[in-house]
């Protein structure tokens, strides 16, 4: 039996799984009928529990900037977006205000009759209007479906559900897998039920390898889709080698290679035939431009060609 089948057999689906799977299917079917291309954007880190009634867990650095900015750019390019994100990580549109106390965006007003109201503080109005205009348009067209997960297992169940929904629309679907997914986990049946007691002394844990879901995703769940995976490293000398190995192993279309510290300044778009370095200049960064704009423009062009060739 394949490793990934054993993984799903040994874990439970997340809460509201059936409901979310239905929402995803309906979203895909509606937008596909309306002739839109669709993309699944995965975003944020995954939580790996150490106890079944979880007090402690292992997590990672990802805050969801890549995914949330990319989702906005796909929407701007006319895609319908399923945004599968880690709960409480950054989300499209609201991310612009994630570091501000929203109360500081507002000020109190008192009218002539003495009643009190609130208004947007003038210094924040123009930014709010810019974001609101784009958000409003997305709401009107209903082109963004947000689905959240918390644990590794929740993520994998929902990833499979979305990929399977995409299997009905062939090459018009793109999978953009930017989430930072844990490579290690403790199987459900090996987790202690209760909080691990420090009185028992130093903790030693053995974790299993998470099955590489890119394999069934490309071969079985959504074989006709345009699939983009990410490769993050901290050692520049192995980055491109590992990106190419992934392409060879899984036979998908694109790997975006990035280094932890420079991921907002440069990435390399790696395909079977080429490596394209995407770089942000200081002046572009100063104007607030984000690297995802360049990445998505490039991928939309590649996806277009992929659809024409299919
Ligand atoms: O979420 P974020 O913006 O903080 O980081 C983005 C990223 C580095 C997680 C992403 O670009 C990426 O490389 N994801 C795949 C990581 C990996 O499993 O190799």
């Amino acid at each position: 039996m394949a490793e990934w089948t054993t993984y799903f057999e040994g874990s439970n689906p997340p809460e509201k799984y059936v409901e979310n799977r239905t929402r995803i299917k309906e979203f895909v079917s509606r937008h596909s009928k309306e002739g839109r291309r669709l993309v699944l954007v995965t975003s944020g880190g995954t939580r790996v529990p150490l106890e079944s009634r979880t007090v402690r867990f292992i997590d990672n650095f990802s805050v969801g900037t890549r995914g949330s900015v990319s989702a906005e750019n796909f929407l701007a390019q006319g895609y319908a977006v399923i945004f599968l994100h880690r709960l409480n990580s950054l989300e499209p549109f609201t991310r612009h205000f994630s570091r501000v106390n929203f109360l500081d965006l507002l000020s109190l007003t008192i009218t002539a009759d003495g009643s009190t109201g609130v208004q947007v503080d003038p210094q924040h109005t123009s930014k709010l209007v810019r974001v609101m205009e784009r958000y409003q348009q997305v709401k009107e067209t209903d082109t963004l479906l947000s689905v959240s997960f918390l644990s590794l297992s929740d993520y994998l169940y929902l990833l499979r559900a979305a990929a399977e929904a995409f299997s009905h629309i062939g090459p018009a679907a793109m999978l953009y897998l930017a989430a930072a997914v844990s490579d290690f986990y403790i199987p459900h049946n090996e987790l202690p039920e209760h909080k691990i007691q420090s009185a028992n002394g130093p903790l030693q844990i053995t974790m299993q390898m998470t099955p590489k879901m890119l394999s069934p995703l490309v071969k079985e769940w959504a074989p006709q889709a345009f699939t983009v995976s990410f490769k993050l490293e901290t050692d520049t000398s192995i980055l491109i080698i590992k990106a190419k190995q992934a392409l060879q192993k899984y036979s998908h279309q694109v790997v975006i290679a990035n280094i932890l510290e420079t991921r907002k300044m440069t990435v390399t778009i790696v395909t079977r035939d080429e490596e394209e370095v995407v770089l942000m200049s200081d002046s572009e960064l100063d104007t607030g431009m984000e690297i995802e704009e360049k990445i998505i423009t490039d991928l939309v062009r590649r996806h277009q060609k992929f659809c024409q060739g299919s």
Side-chain angles (χ1 to χ4, degrees), residues 58-88:
I58 295 177
D59 214 323
N60 66 49
F61 68 94
S62 170
V63 293
T65 307
R66 177 80 81 224
S68 57
V69 183
S70 300
E72 282 181 23
N73 279 279
F74 277 119
L75 288 162
Q77 296 265 3
Y79 277 68
V81 176
I82 301 174
F83 184 63
L84 180 57
H85 65 284
R86 154 70 184 265
L87 188 69
N88 297 331

Side-chain angles (χ1 to χ4, degrees), residues 92-137:
F93 307 112
T94 54
R95 71 174 179 102
H96 295 277
F97 306 99
S98 68
R99 295 218 178 89
V100 244
N101 177 345
F102 87 95
L103 294 174
D104 289 335
L105 299 178
L106 308 171
S107 46
L108 281 175
T109 54
I110 300 176
T111 52
D113 67 1
S115 58
T116 314
V118 282
Q119 66 172 25
V120 176
D121 202 83
Q123 74 184 79
H124 298 293
T125 308
S126 63
K127 183 174 177 189
L128 198 60
V129 167
R130 265 184 284 127
V131 176
M132 273 301 284
E133 278 170 349
R134 290 188 288 135
Y135 177 64
Q136 202 73 42
Q137 207 206 338

Side-chain angles (χ1 to χ4, degrees), residues 9-10 17 50 56 71 79 97 111 115 138 153 166 173 177 183 196 198 206 209 235 237 241 254 270 294 299 310:
E9 279 180 1
Y17 174 63
L50 299 186
R56 299 193 183 86
Y79 277 68
F97 306 99
T111 52
S115 58
V138 165
S153 155
F166 275 181
L177 309 172
D183 286 326
I196 298 167
S198 59
T206 303
M209 296 294 300
D235 177 355
S237 70
I241 301 168
V254 178
V270 185
K294 292 188 182 182
L299 290 179
S310 294

